Structures are given as structure tokens and as C-alpha cells.
Amino acid sequence: MAAPKKSVEKEAGQEKAKGSPPEFTKAQELAALRDMLLIRRFEEKAGQLYGMGAIGGFCHLYIGQEAIVVGMQMALKKGDQVITGYRDHGHMLACGMEANGVMAELTGRRGGYSKGKGGSMHMFSKEKNFYGGHGIVGAQVSLGTGLAFANRYRGNDSVSVAYFGDGASNQGQVYESFNMAELWKLPVIYVIENNRYAMGTSVTRSSAQTDFSKRGASFNIPGKQVDGMDVRAVKAAGDEAVAWCRAGKGPYILEMQTYRYRGHSMSDPAKYRTREEVEKVRHDQDPIEQVRNRLLAAKVPEQELKAIDAEVREIVNASADFAQRDLEPDPSELWTDIYR
């Protein structure tokens, strides 16, 4: 018997949250706008370079989900760690990694964060406490739990944030990590970026429990559903989760209800959803437009907002130029960074 059909809005738990999140100051709104625009313009440029053949392999774009990582970074402090899966360029930029280095890695150049040897899914920055970029589905959850264990062992108050998607939520190692994290009260925030479709299958067809905030219930891990398209809601939930972890209470789950505008990767035509569905989310919920509209309503001159966009475009264009002009790695690099 066929499963009953559900509306697009309800199938991902995308009903509008009751009440409004705490308001941002003008400075916070402007900072969030710039950071989200940087990710959006960077990803748009990466898509163009991929289409031109300058980027090879896989390329998973973060367009539409920018509010999640930007809002979470606003809740963190220096020393906190971030780890994620393969849709990772936005996380890198939000952590403060340079656009030049990220784009150069995408094009396989020696100026990239992994010296041109890692590509899209394998970039790291110890200086920015960014621990990847991982191509194996759900692998980062165990590693992020390990980062939290290290923090607990060292006796510091740092928090690790492990990002993963609705598809990865069904992996076995995720639940092993949940169990360990709660047993040892590890300071880790599990951020589930529920963009509704995983690699291309609706959550209603792949998950028996579509309220991902409840995935830790059997381990006594608290969880919360968040409007992942509103950077204010993300930051407020992040503050709550961070406070919980820093207080020594153990892990916390945040389900960010979001939406990716592009396919799973650049090779995905996304025929499993309609163009009308995508356009409706863009029109009604776009995270960048929400901030922009609030700033305009607060009488911030439109020219000031255009100037921010122009500055961001200049950074991104410069990164694309650098990534295409930089030299490829010397063949001798094949023998470095290898365990024997």
C-alpha cells in the first residue's frame, strides 16, 4: 500500500515556528548578511568553474543553507571546533578560512588548503579549528564526538559541532556516537541539516521518524527543531545548545530545517522535485533576503547593502582568479603527508 502523500511543507517539518526569535542588532544583521552573501557568491562561482571544467570530481553546493553555519558560528567562541561532511565550503568560509585557499583547493592548486591534493571534500584548518570536510557519509559524527572527548579529557570548556544531513542520520555510527556522548557527557552539538532530500530521496520515504530532533531520545539527549532559514533562530538555538554543553550536561541535538536550492551535487539534475517547489522556498524563506528585508525595514540604505554585496563579489572573483592562475602541485607532493 502506498504511503499517504503529505504536503511539501509538512513532510520536512517546515511549518513556521511559533513566535519570533530574538531580534538582532543592526551590527549582527549586517555581519550575518555579509557572511551569508560570501558563502552564496562563493558557491555560485564554484558552480560556474565546475561547469567550465576548472573544478573536477564532486562538488556539493551549500546554496540555500547559509543561515545554519553563519548562525552557529555566531554562538561559538575561539577554541570551539567544527567538523562536517562533503557539503562543506560554507562551513570553511564561516570558520574564517580564506576564499583563495578554499577555491584553490577546489581547482587542485598548490595554494589550496590541502596543497591541491584533497579537493572539495578534504580540506582542513587547524588554525581555524575546522576538522573537515569528509566524504564518507556520517563519518564526521564519530570524529566530532572524538573532538568532544578530547575537550573533556583536557578539561577545557570547548565545544565541538558535528554537522550532518538527514540522510546521514540513519547511519549506525551516528547512534553509537550518541550513546558514547551521553554516557560520558561529552560537549558536542549534533547539527542535523535537514534539507528534505538527502541524496535525492524525500525524508518521508527514507526515515520512519522525520522529527530528527527526537533521534537522541533513547539516549536521553535533548533535541530541538529550528527554522534553519532564519539566522536569528539558528543563533538563539546555538546559544542554548552551547550553554548546555559548556555546563557539562553532555550532548545536544539541533535539527535545522532547511532547503538546498541546487541538486545533491553538481551532477544531480534534481528531477525528484518540482521547479515550483524550489522557487516557492526561494521566494518565501530565502535566508539572505530575510536579513536584507529586515535591514531595509530598519531604514538601512539600500546602497549600503549593495556595497556589501560588491565587496563580497570582489573577494570571490579574486579567489577564482587566484585559483586558476596558481600553479599545480609539484609531482613530489605525491610522496608527502603519507603514513608508512
Side-chain angles (χ1 to χ4, degrees), residues 44-65:
E44 289 170 347
K45 181 62 70 174
Q48 291 175 10
L49 293 179
Y50 187 92
M52 293 164 53
I55 295 174
F58 292 100
C59 186
H60 306 82
L61 303 182
Y62 201 60
I63 297 174
Q65 300 184 206

Side-chain angles (χ1 to χ4, degrees), residues 7-163:
S7 71
V8 169
E9 292 295 314
K10 289 185 178 180
E11 80 171 12
Q14 287 288 117
E15 297 94 343
K16 190 162 181 68
K18 294 180 180 179
S20 298
E23 295 294 330
F24 271 7
T25 64
K26 177 185 173 183
Q28 286 177 312
E29 294 276 34
L30 288 170
L33 178 70
R34 185 196 177 281
D35 290 347
M36 288 194 290
L37 274 173
L38 177 61
I39 295 171
R40 177 74 57 93
R41 301 305 178 220
F42 183 94
E43 295 289 63
E44 289 170 347
K45 181 62 70 174
Q48 291 175 10
L49 293 179
Y50 187 92
M52 293 164 53
I55 295 174
F58 292 100
C59 186
H60 306 82
L61 303 182
Y62 201 60
I63 297 174
Q65 300 184 206
E66 299 90 350
I68 298 173
V69 71
V70 170
M72 284 301 300
Q73 282 301 124
M74 295 174 79
L76 301 180
K77 71 176 186 179
K78 187 175 181 180
D80 294 334
Q81 303 125 326
V82 169
I83 190 168
T84 188
Y86 38 74
R87 197 179 309 280
D88 52 5
H89 315 146
H91 302 74
M92 298 170 191
L93 295 172
C95 286
M97 293 168 67
E98 296 294 331
N100 277 12
V102 178
M103 195 70 84
E105 188 61 39
L106 293 179
T107 58
R109 306 307 172 100
R110 62 176 61 180
Y113 271 98
S114 294
K115 303 177 184 177
K117 300 186 293 183
S120 179
M121 296 186 280
H122 303 95
M123 278 184 259
F124 310 85
S125 174
K126 182 178 179 181
E127 294 74 22
K128 300 298 182 182
N129 285 305
F130 180 78
Y131 289 84
H134 295 271
I136 303 301
V137 176
Q140 71 276 18
V141 181
S142 301
L143 296 172
T145 304
L147 290 170
F149 176 80
N151 292 331
R152 174 78 186 274
Y153 186 82
R154 291 167 178 153
N156 61 40
D157 71 341
S158 294
V159 171
S160 94
V161 182
Y163 292 87

